[in-house]
Amino acid sequence: MPRCAKPRMVCSDFKYKVFTPEENNQEYIAISVDELEAIRLCDLEQIEQEDAAKRMQISRGTFQRILYSARKKVAEALCEGKGIRIGGGNYIIASRHCKFIPKCKYCKKV
């Protein structure tokens, strides 16, 4: 029997939930909030995978699987002209600012 999935910590909810190509294509790829958070931490914030995994309170291996899945979905959407819908996933929004140094850009703004 598999273990219950542990929720992932996310700094904040994302404002934008749908991205559509200029051509009005009706196909969408679903990306979970925790997948987008992994992309944000690793690619936008340029935080090492091990540190990003600690921020999300998951193992580095789990973080890497989430990140690879998210990148594959984004690549598919970009290459095939599909839209992206963000939502769902097993996550908890952090109730306070990052305790990590350096703080992420979201915590610097608040």
Side-chain angles (χ1 to χ4, degrees):
M1 178 179 225
R3 200 171 81 175
C4 293
K6 184 177 176 183
R8 287 79 190 229
M9 187 64 61
V10 175
C11 277
S12 68
D13 201 10
F14 293 96
K15 183 177 178 181
Y16 303 102
K17 303 285 186 183
V18 178
F19 294 88
T20 308
E22 195 172 292
E23 297 174 14
N24 195 5
N25 189 342
Q26 297 299 323
E27 290 186 66
Y28 287 89
I29 302 286
I31 295 180
S32 66
V33 173
D34 51 329
E35 288 175 324
L36 184 57
E37 178 74 352
I39 289 175
R40 184 186 74 82
L41 289 172
C42 204
D43 297 334
L44 183 61
E45 301 281 343
Q46 296 184 338
I47 296 171
E48 295 292 327
Q49 286 187 18
E50 186 150 343
D51 295 331
K54 287 177 186 173
R55 289 173 188 245
M56 290 182 70
Q57 299 179 0
I58 55 178
S59 71
R60 191 202 53 78
T62 299
F63 180 85
Q64 189 173 41
R65 283 189 293 278
I66 292 169
L67 182 63
Y68 288 170
S69 171
R71 285 177 175 169
K72 182 178 187 286
K73 291 176 182 180
V74 169
E76 181 182 348
L78 291 173
C79 292
E80 296 180 10
K82 296 178 181 179
I84 298 173
R85 286 193 196 272
I86 300 161
N90 188 10
Y91 68 97
I92 297 172
I93 297 175
S95 59
R96 60 184 191 281
H97 303 303
C98 288
K99 62 181 178 183
F100 298 97
I101 303 296
K103 293 190 180 304
C104 69
K105 290 177 184 171
Y106 173 77
C107 289
K108 288 179 184 175
K109 292 179 184 176
V110 176

